[in-house]
Amino acid sequence: MIKYVIGMVVCFVAVSVAVMIWGGHPVREFVWTLTTGWVTYLARVTSAMHVDLVSLLFGLALFAIMVVAIHGICAGSLRTSGRHWRWTWSIASAVLVVVLFVSGTSFVGLVSKSRWMLETEQPLIRATVQYPGWTSSRNKAKSFAIEILTETSWTDTFVNEVPKEGDPNPVLSWQTQVALLSWERPIGPQDDFELDETRPWDELPNATMYRRIMPAFLNLDLIVESFHDERGFALSHYSANSHLINDKRSWTVEQIEDGTGMTLLVGQVNEGFMPWGQPGNWRDPAEGINRGPTGFGGALSQKGALFLMADGSVKLLSEETDGEVLNALATPAGGEDIAVPD
């Protein structure tokens, strides 16, 4: 068995090396990402992980209970035949159960993503030009877009702050709704990630969480004096398109008549930052890019701002983009006939 495994690994490495040497650039990039992408993913994820001691101990306790249960069942079944069941076999069986569970979860995710790749109208491979300082911001914005669309997929409705009829609780900010489903948590101990939906956002215990920086909501290319406001609440470097995310109306994907790829969802801002836990963080894109504290804007080196589109794509819009074009991209069902700037 070991020989077969070693042989498969050797064949895979040999094929990968051959493709890397003789394949074209897109093929080499695909193979390199396929074979080493998990390493960079782990490096990126583990840097944002925090060990919760209580959860760790609880998980170990559950694993120990599973080992004891497996041992009791198997040892009892073999006792009548006079055979002995070893504890090492019980531990190995418990590990196998955990591995099968993780593998099943991964397979479901793989099937889901494969289906998306087959059905999406977006190109899977595109030529891009990487500018210094832009790659990290663009990748971060893309991850942010995926998290927003993940939240949207649960109800087929884009995040919003429209009060629910009959619900006396304060409305959660749209960024809080995204943060609650995000794999990336606010910086700090995870055991105080508490949210009391019956209390305002800036009162305890909510205030404790909202004073913690949320890395997903930052543009690290910006040069800012502080990541907190004067009251100590962590700021966000993003704002929503007020035509799509607001407290007046909620939009479904089907209602975006202009097309999700032609509608702005969220954009970068470089002035007038708001705490990510505070409701009402939206702006009108028609005010222009890099034109003032109430509009959108990115780092000076970008000469524009990154925008998350309603289909999950990310586009860099120039600060020279005409106001009429921005207004057309802001309205979900305006019926304007325009082309999205490249």
Side-chain angles (χ1 to χ4, degrees), residues 11-341:
C11 290
F12 179 78
V13 172
V15 172
S16 300
V17 171
V19 172
M20 292 291 291
I21 295 176
W22 290 292
H25 176 71
V27 177
R28 290 199 301 269
E29 184 177 359
F30 173 78
V31 173
W32 177 258
T33 303
L34 183 65
T35 55
T36 65
W38 62 275
V39 177
T40 57
Y41 174 79
L42 287 177
R44 185 172 67 253
V45 171
T46 52
S47 64
M49 291 175 60
H50 301 277
V51 178
D52 187 339
L53 184 60
V54 175
S55 299
L56 178 62
L57 294 177
F58 183 70
L60 292 175
L62 289 179
F63 182 80
I65 292 173
M66 182 166 59
V67 171
V68 173
I70 292 175
H71 188 80
I73 295 173
C74 295
S77 301
L78 295 178
R79 188 174 294 115
T80 56
S81 62
R83 300 175 62 184
H84 178 68
W85 181 267
R86 299 178 182 177
W87 278 101
T88 53
W89 297 350
S90 299
I91 296 175
S93 300
V95 172
L96 179 61
V97 170
V98 174
V99 171
L100 290 175
F101 175 78
V102 174
S103 300
T105 304
S106 302
F107 182 75
V108 171
L110 179 62
V111 172
S112 176
K113 293 299 182 183
S114 299
R115 178 182 177 184
W116 175 85
M117 292 175 66
L118 292 173
E119 296 179 351
T120 183
E121 297 179 357
Q122 298 297 317
L124 300 181
I125 300 177
R126 65 179 69 184
T128 58
V129 179
Q130 303 295 345
Y131 297 95
W134 183 27
T135 304
S136 59
S137 296
R138 191 181 185 91
N139 290 341
K140 203 170 189 64
K142 182 64 177 179
S143 299
F144 191 10
I146 293 174
E147 290 169 354
I148 295 177
L149 294 185
T150 300
E151 167 69 19
T152 302
S153 65
W154 289 98
T155 59
D156 198 35
T157 303
F158 288 97
V159 290
N160 60 81
E161 297 179 11
V162 178
K164 297 180 181 179
E165 185 176 356
D167 188 352
N169 296 329
V171 177
L172 296 177
S173 72
W174 65 268
Q175 287 185 282
T176 299
Q177 298 173 44
V178 175
L180 290 176
L181 286 180
S182 173
W183 65 268
E184 192 171 24
R185 288 299 193 218
I187 296 177
Q190 296 304 297
D191 54 3
D192 66 346
F193 189 76
E194 299 180 6
L195 182 65
D196 185 352
E197 297 187 18
T198 65
R199 308 288 297 176
W201 73 276
D202 55 353
E203 293 185 4
L204 294 175
N206 300 334
T208 301
M209 181 179 69
Y210 291 134
R211 286 190 170 93
R212 291 160 55 181
I213 295 174
M214 184 66 177
F217 302 152
L218 296 180
N219 178 6
L220 299 182
D221 290 337
L222 284 178
I223 301 176
V224 296
E225 295 181 358
S226 175
F227 292 129
H228 296 82
D229 66 3
E230 62 278 1
R231 293 196 296 167
F233 290 104
L235 299 172
S236 170
H237 296 163
Y238 289 87
S239 188
N241 169 17
S242 60
H243 295 267
L244 184 57
I245 299 179
N246 52 60
D247 57 0
K248 304 299 182 184
R249 173 184 175 177
S250 59
W251 289 83
T252 64
V253 176
E254 290 74 16
Q255 292 172 334
I256 311 297
E257 298 178 2
D258 291 348
T260 53
M262 298 287 290
T263 304
L264 303 176
L265 181 62
V266 172
Q268 292 179 330
V269 297
N270 54 18
E271 294 183 79
F273 308 115
M274 289 181 60
W276 63 270
Q278 182 177 354
N281 183 18
W282 48 69
R283 306 181 182 197
D284 188 352
E287 294 191 19
I289 301 174
N290 292 339
R291 301 293 177 86
T294 59
F296 290 87
L300 294 178
S301 59
Q302 292 177 335
K303 296 184 178 180
L306 288 175
F307 282 86
L308 288 56
M309 310 301 288
D311 66 346
S313 61
V314 177
K315 297 187 180 297
L316 175 65
L317 298 186
S318 169
E319 59 188 18
E320 302 297 331
T321 304
D322 185 75
E324 293 185 1
V325 174
L326 291 173
N327 184 67
L329 294 174
T331 54
E336 301 90 349
D337 185 14
I338 61 167
V340 180

